[in-house]
Amino acid sequence: MRVIPTLSLLLLGAVPVQAAETTIPDALVAAGEKPVLTLHAEGAQVYDCKTDKDGKLAWTFREPIASLFADGKTVGRHYAGPSWEHQDGSIVGGRVQGTAVGATDNDIPWLKLEVISHRGAKGVLSDVTTVQRINTAGGKLSGACDTAGQFRSVAYSADYVFLRKQ
């Protein structure tokens, strides 16, 4: 297990920002790598109503749509691929390598993603080799779907930690 610092903001006037620690589950640890950047995401997980292998209608994950923030300012976006694009033009795409459960039944899982593509301009994401999705809140859809082709979006937030080999 690995512990990394994250920020907890108290929105009460002049109260100082306090550092909190997030424990990274073993399945998400990126040994020999160090964080380059941590961005907060606010957006939606989009689901599609499809017929499953048993012929029943079920919600299927389609794509994430989220804005990425640093210090309260939008600095990028997260979208299908999965891909993360920074305002400097650097883009990475990933593939899931590890998972851990979210804090509640409504939270999408925490993930470890191996970076499998680099695109765009040379920038902050250019040397990233792993992305961790942590501190998830929301995003999980439950219940039955009625009509094939129907879409549903569920709000979520998460922190994305971008790492590179040391």
Side-chain angles (χ1 to χ4, degrees):
M1 217 178 289
R2 183 168 164 224
V3 176
I4 62 169
T6 58
L7 295 179
S8 298
L9 298 176
L10 296 176
L11 303 175
L12 302 171
V15 176
V17 173
Q18 298 177 1
E21 292 185 346
T22 297
T23 301
I24 303 300
D26 291 342
L28 307 188
V29 171
E33 298 190 33
K34 67 178 184 176
V36 173
L37 178 68
T38 299
L39 299 175
H40 181 70
E42 293 281 341
Q45 298 285 305
V46 180
Y47 297 85
D48 187 5
C49 184
K50 292 185 173 185
T51 305
D52 67 14
K53 64 181 180 192
D54 297 327
K56 297 178 182 175
L57 290 175
W59 291 111
T60 304
F61 175 70
R62 179 184 175 94
E63 63 187 332
I65 301 171
S67 295
L68 300 174
F69 299 93
D71 300 322
K73 296 178 183 166
T74 303
V75 297
R77 62 192 187 111
H78 173 45
Y79 50 90
S83 296
W84 298 264
E85 182 175 344
H86 194 271
Q87 68 185 5
D88 67 11
S90 58
I91 305 166
V92 294
R95 175 177 45 222
V96 175
Q97 295 294 304
T99 64
V101 296
T104 76
D105 289 342
N106 295 321
D107 301 336
I108 55 176
W110 292 20
L111 300 176
K112 174 183 171 184
L113 301 107
E114 171 190 17
V115 171
I116 58 171
S117 67
H118 290 87
R119 301 183 314 275
K122 179 87 172 140
V124 70
L125 301 179
S126 296
D127 295 328
V128 169
T129 52
T130 300
V131 178
Q132 293 168 324
R133 179 175 76 188
I134 62 173
N135 301 325
T136 58
K140 193 180 277 185
L141 179 61
S142 59
C145 61
D146 304 323
T147 308
Q150 182 181 21
F151 293 98
R152 182 89 28 97
S153 297
V154 181
Y156 91 105
S157 66
D159 293 324
Y160 289 97
V161 181
F162 300 88
L163 304 110
R164 70 173 174 83
K165 298 212 184 297
Q166 293 188 27

